[in-house]
């Protein structure tokens, strides 16, 4: 049995943060009804690569869902919305501040209509505080949550990460909150409002940097390759430093292309074996006992020497060859894997993390798989829905409407924008 079988979710979210959350819940078996306006989620048409087909931006975030279109600007559409509210366990939204309120559905009203329902809300900066009315975006959240100021090299500009920690990271946080609230609702009979702000989510993912922020009030940070000092205040950008107690960095391998790098962590326990292996090949046969790098404290002080020697050693090997040398020495390491590397990787395919799907309008395409592996209820991934594909199905199966009622609602414009009247 699927883990969340029997849980019904009314998903009013769009773009990335909310759909990330609802897709994960759908993969765990929830019946996710994607509630769209007649024009549909904006990402259906964004960055489109196949004419007249939903974009990959949409399809990769909306698998395993059913789509229903409802015109919330009509009285009949609002009636359908209310009926669905009463049949669902969770409702999700990520509209701008006040949008749902203006339709007449505050949290208080929703709770009144269905006291047990859990409401999930994603906002850029939350519903309280001086930033609450600001517009948010992935990179804005990274900027204001602390990630950008600590990403990059010391003398260069701050960088955003390639991972969407502002959007998808927030969606992951919301999934945890919704499941916790649903568990409580099942015990108490009362739902609650679950809010995750994108800025807050990014701050949580930067927890290690806030650790270092407080350490700087008492000491310098010996593990950093860039200069730090007590009372420095802000945590500096430190390139590819490991950010932990062990030294770590990326070394460049042959043939020295953009992604021909191996990330290496020099743990204290493996230093002797590592030094004995690389020392003779880089002209320092006694590297293991060299006083400049013999102890962890000295390696921290002279870590530029460590990385210079490792890079010199790496010049003769590809990233995979170097990985094969270091793994038997128990040196934690991993190649910098490009999107092409990952899309063709045996390990990735074997763990169902690159899954082929078929779409009626775009044909064959791939999605990133389910990262959470449940032994008794593994995810079965199905394609994303066409706009409004399941409108009749949901109305009949979930709400019990008959054909005559559905046709009457269609005629009243409950599921589409009403036709323009002739002048």
């Amino acid at each position: 049995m699927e883990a969340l079988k029997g849980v019904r979710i009314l998903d009013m979210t769009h773009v990335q943060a909310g759909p990330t959350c609802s897709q994960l819940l759908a993969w765990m078996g929830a019946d996710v009804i994607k509630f769209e306006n007649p024009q549909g989620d904006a990402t259906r048409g964004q960055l489109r690569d196949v004419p007249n087909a939903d974009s990959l931006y949409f399809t990769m975030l909306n698998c395993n869902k059913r789509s229903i279109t409802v015109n919330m600007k009509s009285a009949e559409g609002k009636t359908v919305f209310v009926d669905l509210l009463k049949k669902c366990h969770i409702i999700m939204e990520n509209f701008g501040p006040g949008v749902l309120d203006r339709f007449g559905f505050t949290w208080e009203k929703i709770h009144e209509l269905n006291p047990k329902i859990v409401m999930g809300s994603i906002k850029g900066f939350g519903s309280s505080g001086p930033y609450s009315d600001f517009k948010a975006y992935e990179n804005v959240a990274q900027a204001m949550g602390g990630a950008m100021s600590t990403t990059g090299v010391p003398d260069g500009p701050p960088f955003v990460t390639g991972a969407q920690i502002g959007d998808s990271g927030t969606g992951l946080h919301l999934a945890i909150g919704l499941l916790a609230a649903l568990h409580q609702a099942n015990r108490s009979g009362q739902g609650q409002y679950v809010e995750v702000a994108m800025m807050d989510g990014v701050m949580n993912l930067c927890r290690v940097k806030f650790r270092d922020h407080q350490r700087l009030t008492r000491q310098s940070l010996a593990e950093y390759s860039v200069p730090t000092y007590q009372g420095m205040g802000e945590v500096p950008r430190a390139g590819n430093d490991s950010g932990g107690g062990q030294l770590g960095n990326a070394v460049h391998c042959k043939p020295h292309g953009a992604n021909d790098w191996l990330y290496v962590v020099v743990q204290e326990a493996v230093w002797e074996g590592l030094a004995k292996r690389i020392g003779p090949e880089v002209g320092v046969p006694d590297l293991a006992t060299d006083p400049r790098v013999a102890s962890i404290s000295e390696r921290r002080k002279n870590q530029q020497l460590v990385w210079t020697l490792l890079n010199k050693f790496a010049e003769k090997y590809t990233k995979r060859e170097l990985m094969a040398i270091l793994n038997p020495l128990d040196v934690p390491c991993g190649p910098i894997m490009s999107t092409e590397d990952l899309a063709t990787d045996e390990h990735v395919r074997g763990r169902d993390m690159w899954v082929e799907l078929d779409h009626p309008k775009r044909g064959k395409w791939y999605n990133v798989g389910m990262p959470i592996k449940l032994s008794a209820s593994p995810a079965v991934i199905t394609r994303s829905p066409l706009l409004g594909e399941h409108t009749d199905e949901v109305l009949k199966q979930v709400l019990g409407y008959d054909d005559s009622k559905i046709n009457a609602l269609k005629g009243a414009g409950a599921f589409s924008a009403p036709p323009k009247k002739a002048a």
Side-chain angles (χ1 to χ4, degrees), residues 277-333:
R277 177 65 180 84
I278 71 171
E281 287 195 32
V282 296
V284 189
D286 298 325
L287 183 61
T289 56
D290 189 313
R292 295 172 296 175
V293 290
S295 68
I296 182 64
S297 60
E298 293 303 317
R299 286 195 294 281
R300 284 174 177 164
K301 290 179 185 176
N302 298 300
Q303 60 179 284
Q304 293 300 340
L305 173 61
V306 173
W307 299 120
T308 296
L309 295 174
L310 274 167
N311 272 285
K312 185 173 178 62
F313 182 81
E315 288 177 354
K316 296 182 289 184
Y317 304 100
T318 66
K319 59 188 180 183
R320 293 289 185 175
E321 290 169 344
L322 183 54
M323 188 180 181
I325 291 170
L326 298 185
N327 275 339
L329 300 174
D330 289 330
V331 176
C333 61

Side-chain angles (χ1 to χ4, degrees), residues 149-171:
S149 73
T150 56
T151 305
V153 295
D155 298 326
F159 283 123
V160 296
T161 69
Q164 280 69 57
I165 61 174
D167 275 324
S168 287
T170 303

Side-chain angles (χ1 to χ4, degrees), residues 3-23:
L4 294 180
K5 187 176 179 63
V7 174
R8 184 175 294 124
I9 299 173
L10 188 59
D11 181 15
M12 303 181 78
T13 66
H14 55 286
V15 190
Q16 184 178 167
T20 295
C21 172
S22 55
Q23 180 170 257

Side-chain angles (χ1 to χ4, degrees), residues 100-146:
L100 206 52
D101 294 3
R102 290 193 289 275
F103 280 118
F105 296 101
T106 62
W107 159 240
E108 290 75 20
K109 180 64 175 178
I110 289 170
H111 186 60
E112 177 187 326
L113 290 166
N114 183 350
K116 196 175 179 180
I117 200 166
V118 170
M119 182 168 183
S121 179
I122 288 176
K123 296 287 181 266
F125 305 98
S127 56
S128 61
Y131 301 159
S132 59
D133 290 332
F134 289 5
K135 285 187 176 180
Y137 196 78
E138 167 68 44
N139 295 348
V140 173
Q142 289 194 33
M144 295 185 68

Side-chain angles (χ1 to χ4, degrees), residues 52-103:
N52 302 315
D54 290 332
S55 72
L56 285 166
Y57 195 5
F58 177 85
T59 61
M60 294 185 75
L61 290 162
N62 290 282
C63 288
N64 293 62
K65 304 177 187 180
R66 299 197 280 180
S67 170
I68 177 174
T69 57
V70 176
N71 176 15
M72 286 285 282
K73 294 181 178 179
S74 70
E76 292 81 5
K78 289 180 180 178
T79 298
V80 172
F81 173 69
V82 169
D83 287 347
L84 282 169
L85 267 181
K86 294 176 180 178
K87 295 287 187 178
C88 290
H89 305 90
I90 293 172
I91 178 173
M92 298 170 52
E93 64 88 20
N94 62 343
F95 297 121
V99 170
L100 206 52
D101 294 3
R102 290 193 289 275
F103 280 118

